[in-house]
Amino acid sequence: GALTVCFAVAAVGSGVVVTVLLGRRARIARLQSDLLGNVSHDLKTPLAAIRMYAQTLQSGIVDREPAMAKQCIDAIARETEWLDAMIERLLTWRAAARDRDGMDPVTEPLGELAQEVAARFSRMVQPGEVDFQVRIDTALPVVHDRRAMGSVLVNLLTNAHKFTGPGKVISLSLRDRDDHVEIRVEDNGIGIPPRELRRIFEPFHRVEHPAGMRPAGTGLGLAIVELTVKDHRGAVRAESEVGRGSVFTVTLPAAPREDRT
């Protein structure tokens, strides 16, 4: 009888393990499929715009209408910036998943990097599309990887852009607080439902909104932000109110005094 019970328990246990493994494989396959679909959708939009503007230039307007030609060239450059940001996001996630020790740290204030990212973001949006406000008031040096932290800022700004409708107001601010540097990205967008706030940093998670709106995207931007900030011994938090907008705050420790130059 005891042997029969043991066999029965082993069989049940094996069945549970198989079920769990099959469920995990199915979930991974679903996530991979969703990722490919979302990436394809995201890439098609800027590629279609680039093709359209390039065809317009091919039609011969460069000589006939130089002002329109310049608009086309500016639009192509802008869409290329978005493409670069999307590809960079995917490569950053792949690198983060495989190699957590590949950072190239520098010890310096974040002001110059923030200005570079702000200039890049300004090139990504149409003139007059966004009331983009930048305030940089930081002098504390921070040990950081410039590429990684640049990715954090780009992801936060493009996330704010994606979830903000007409009349976009987006702000980027940096300030020193005691022995930390605080980065804030604020928008006047659609906001995040309270039930979603605790999940927004999960890989591949995309926010469900009351109206059924679910913007396309890989669901990796905020996951990269959290992973990178933790690698820099910092913290990130989000505050939001539906219909009024969101605020993302990143806090990074200043470099130890003995490491400052």
Side-chain angles (χ1 to χ4, degrees):
L3 188 59
T4 301
V5 171
C6 289
F7 277 126
V9 170
V12 171
S14 299
V16 171
V17 170
V18 170
T19 301
V20 170
L21 291 177
L22 289 176
R24 184 172 181 271
R25 288 183 62 182
R27 180 174 179 273
I28 292 174
R30 185 172 64 254
L31 289 175
Q32 290 175 335
S33 177
D34 288 347
L35 176 62
L36 288 174
N38 294 333
V39 169
S40 298
H41 182 278
D42 279 0
L43 292 178
K44 282 180 180 178
T45 301
L47 283 174
I50 290 171
R51 183 183 299 112
M52 180 187 70
Y53 289 117
Q55 289 172 345
T56 302
L57 290 172
Q58 285 179 329
S59 68
I61 68 165
V62 175
D63 296 326
R64 297 195 315 268
E65 302 179 58
M68 182 175 290
K70 183 180 183 306
Q71 291 179 7
C72 291
I73 294 171
D74 290 343
I76 289 174
R78 187 165 56 246
E79 296 297 338
T80 302
E81 287 280 3
W82 281 102
L83 272 176
D84 186 58
M86 281 186 278
I87 293 170
E88 184 180 282
R89 184 176 302 124
L90 292 171
L91 293 178
T92 299
W93 177 255
R94 180 175 179 272
R98 292 190 172 193
D99 182 11
R100 301 288 293 278
D101 301 318
M103 293 198 300
D104 183 17
V106 296
T107 303
E108 61 186 23
L110 295 170
E112 182 179 342
L113 175 63
Q115 289 175 343
E116 292 174 4
V117 172
R120 180 184 181 187
F121 180 68
S122 296
R123 295 193 300 268
M124 295 171 69
V125 299
Q126 298 182 33
E129 179 191 7
V130 181
D131 179 3
F132 183 38
Q133 304 166 1
V134 180
R135 181 177 179 180
I136 300 174
D137 186 17
T138 178
L140 285 175
V142 174
V143 179
H144 66 285
D145 180 284
R146 283 181 59 87
R147 183 179 180 87
M149 285 309 304
S151 177
V152 166
L153 297 179
V154 169
N155 278 312
L156 289 176
L157 289 171
T158 55
N159 186 72
H161 180 275
K162 180 170 61 175
F163 289 99
T164 306
K168 299 176 187 292
V169 179
I170 299 174
S171 67
L172 168 65
S173 64
L174 288 82
R175 62 175 178 173
D176 297 333
R177 295 188 58 130
D178 299 325
D179 58 346
H180 287 74
V181 176
E182 182 182 88
I183 304 169
R184 283 168 59 94
V185 173
E186 186 171 357
D187 64 67
N188 65 335
I190 57 179
I192 305 169
R195 68 180 181 277
E196 295 278 3
L197 268 178
R198 63 179 179 272
R199 297 195 60 198
I200 57 174
F201 295 106
E202 294 179 8
F204 307 108
H205 180 71
R206 292 176 297 161
V207 174
E208 294 278 9
H209 290 277
M213 173 186 176
R214 189 173 188 178
T218 59
L220 291 177
L222 293 180
I224 290 171
V225 168
E226 184 181 54
L227 181 65
T228 304
V229 170
K230 284 184 176 179
D231 282 347
H232 286 74
R233 299 185 296 113
V236 58
R237 70 178 186 276
E239 303 167 82
S240 187
E241 184 177 345
V242 174
R244 296 183 65 88
S246 305
V247 181
F248 286 83
T249 304
V250 173
T251 304
L252 297 171
R257 293 189 179 277
E258 58 270 21
D259 294 341
R260 303 178 189 180
T261 57

